[in-house]
């Protein structure tokens, strides 16, 4: 068996070959493509030539982004188990954004849990990701896989955001910058009719069934550059759990709110510990730092290789 990264996670076995979340040209023939969610660093037009597996919500996000969906597709959902290309696949909530999932794949007698991006904390729109016990291999994201990133309680973050709106909306208006797919739906759901949506955010909201206001002094925008002139600027991202980063933004007149749809360092460690896999591959973000931390805790953990296989680790 071979698992490697080449602008997508490739899994090669005797019975099948597939790729997860390709963002570049698909290398060689594949039996199918697994897509964990619709963020730009996990989807691309290159997958349209292949059979694509994703949730209904992810296909809706893909349609907004690309103006269409792959002609060959298999729609799945958390809790389902199915076979594709001779491979058994089980689907679990990832807790990241609406429609995000993790896949437990069994190939050649080896169970591989592929997380994509995930949050053990969930949100007002998603249930938190739960560990899958004792897969042979766990491929985990490491976006916040550095000990510096520990998030505050999400309820406290929601209250901080609501307080900012209450304090400043009537004064100058408030623009809340949030990634248009995912974070923007979370913020829109939190604020309800109080907040209108930038046109790009509104397209995703409509596709995913999230209501937003039509007028008012609060707007959810895809970036700070899209904030209306004169509005108080608020940015929602987990990077603001770094106090120095938050302080520097405040000096530029930006209120940073540490709202994330990922697991923080603590959540990543707890997920791996509870899953207790035989082998861990880390990918995305602080992958090497997370792998080092996991090795110190006794796990066989490595960054995902760029070409070499993993059979030596399973012997």
């Amino acid at each position: 068996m071979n698992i490697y990264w080449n602008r997508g996670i490739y899994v090669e076995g005797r019975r099948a070959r597939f790729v997860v979340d390709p963002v570049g040209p698909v290398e060689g023939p594949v039996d199918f493509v697994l897509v964990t969610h619709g963020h730009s660093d996990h989807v691309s037009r290159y997958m349209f030539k292949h059979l694509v597996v994703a949730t209904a919500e992810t296909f809706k996000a893909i349609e907004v982004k690309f103006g269409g969906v792959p002609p060959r597709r298999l729609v799945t959902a958390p809790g389902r188990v199915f076979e594709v290309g001779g491979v058994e696949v089980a689907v679990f909530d990832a807790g990241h954004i609406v429609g995000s999932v993790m896949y437990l794949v069994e190939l050649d007698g080896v169970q591989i849990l592929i997380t994509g991006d995930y949050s053990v904390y969930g949100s007002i729109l998603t249930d938190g990701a739960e560990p899958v016990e004792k897969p042979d291999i766990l491929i985990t994201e490491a976006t916040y896989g550095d000990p510096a990133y520990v998030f505050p309680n999400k309820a406290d973050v929601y209250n901080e955001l609501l307080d900012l709106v209450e304090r400043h909306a009537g004064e100058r208006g408030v623009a809340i910058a949030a990634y248009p797919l995912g974070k923007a739906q979370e913020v829109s759901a939190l604020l309800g009719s109080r907040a209108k949506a930038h046109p790009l955010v509104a397209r995703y909201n409509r596709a995913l069934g999230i209501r937003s206001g039509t007028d008012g002094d609060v707007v959810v925008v895809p970036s700070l550059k899209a904030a209306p002139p004169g509005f108080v600027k608020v940015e929602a991202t987990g990077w603001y759990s770094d106090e120095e980063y938050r302080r520097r933004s405040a000096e530029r007149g930006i209120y940073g709110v540490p709202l994330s749809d990922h697991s923080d360092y603590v959540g990543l460690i707890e997920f791996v510990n509870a899953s207790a896999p035989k082998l861990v591959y880390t990918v995305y973000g602080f992958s090497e730092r997370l792998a080092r931390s996991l090795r110190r805790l006794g796990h066989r953990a490595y960054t995902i290789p760029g070409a070499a296989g993993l059979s030596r680790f399973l012997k």
Side-chain angles (χ1 to χ4, degrees):
M1 179 176 287
N2 191 27
I3 294 178
Y4 66 94
W5 166 264
N6 184 14
R7 302 189 71 188
I9 298 169
Y10 287 83
V11 181
E12 302 174 336
R14 293 188 304 273
R15 296 169 53 201
R17 181 177 191 268
F18 63 92
V19 60
V20 184
D21 294 349
V23 291
V26 174
E27 180 186 81
V30 294
D31 295 286
F32 55 91
V33 175
L34 296 179
V35 174
T36 62
H37 65 288
H39 276 156
S40 297
D41 55 345
H42 292 261
V43 296
S44 68
R45 287 190 180 275
Y46 296 108
M47 65 188 181
F48 277 53
K49 297 178 181 179
H50 307 276
L51 171 63
V52 177
V53 180
T55 63
E57 295 87 352
T58 294
F59 280 124
K60 289 176 182 178
I62 288 170
E63 186 168 20
V64 171
K65 182 172 181 60
F66 297 113
V69 293
R72 291 190 296 146
R73 57 192 180 275
L74 191 161
V75 181
T76 191
R80 292 186 183 171
V81 179
F82 60 93
E83 187 175 292
V84 58
V87 179
E88 185 173 285
V89 182
V91 187
F92 299 87
D93 254 317
H96 177 50
I97 65 172
V98 174
S100 63
V101 292
M102 308 183 294
Y103 294 106
L104 180 66
V105 178
E106 184 166 332
L107 177 61
D108 299 341
V110 177
Q111 287 193 327
I112 309 162
L113 178 62
I114 306 166
T115 66
D117 291 337
Y118 65 101
S119 171
V120 297
Y121 309 114
S123 72
I124 56 175
L125 293 176
T126 60
D127 293 327
E130 295 185 358
V132 176
E133 189 175 356
K134 295 184 178 179
D136 294 301
I137 302 164
L138 168 61
I139 303 175
T140 177
E141 67 133 323
T143 304
Y144 291 100
D146 183 288
Y149 296 102
V150 178
F151 301 152
N153 179 276
K154 180 154 279 195
D156 293 337
V157 177
Y158 285 159
N159 287 333
E160 180 181 351
L161 186 57
L162 292 169
D163 182 62
L164 282 169
V165 168
E166 289 302 317
R167 284 194 285 126
H168 297 289
E171 170 190 321
R172 293 163 49 194
V174 176
I176 303 170
Y179 195 81
L181 173 61
K183 197 82 60 66
Q185 284 73 60
E186 187 176 358
V187 173
S188 294
L190 178 67
L191 296 174
S193 60
R194 180 69 191 273
K196 59 185 178 181
H198 178 279
L200 177 57
V201 172
R203 286 200 293 275
Y204 281 112
N205 283 3
R206 285 194 297 271
L208 297 170
I210 306 297
R211 295 183 62 184
S212 51
T214 56
D215 53 32
D217 47 13
V218 183
V219 59
V220 183
V221 296
S223 68
L224 290 173
K225 292 180 179 178
F231 273 45
V232 171
K233 294 180 179 179
V234 178
E235 188 173 31
T237 171
W239 300 116
Y240 284 116
S241 58
D242 181 331
E243 287 298 328
E244 177 61 21
Y245 184 73
R246 192 170 187 176
R247 184 189 63 77
R248 290 198 302 267
S249 291
E251 290 174 351
R252 296 185 290 120
I254 298 164
Y255 289 95
V257 177
L259 179 64
S260 179
D261 45 24
H262 290 261
S263 298
D264 60 0
Y265 176 80
V266 173
L268 292 168
I269 294 292
E270 290 179 349
F271 186 91
V272 176
N273 284 340
S275 296
K278 294 178 182 176
L279 172 68
V280 182
Y281 273 152
T282 58
V283 64
Y284 314 126
F286 291 103
S287 56
E288 180 53 48
R289 293 186 191 181
L290 181 61
R292 285 200 303 267
S293 293
L294 291 169
R295 287 196 295 271
R296 285 195 293 269
L297 293 170
H299 294 282
R300 301 169 74 190
Y302 310 87
T303 57
I304 194 167
L310 56 79
S311 59
R312 66 185 187 279
F313 293 129
L314 293 178
K315 290 179 180 177

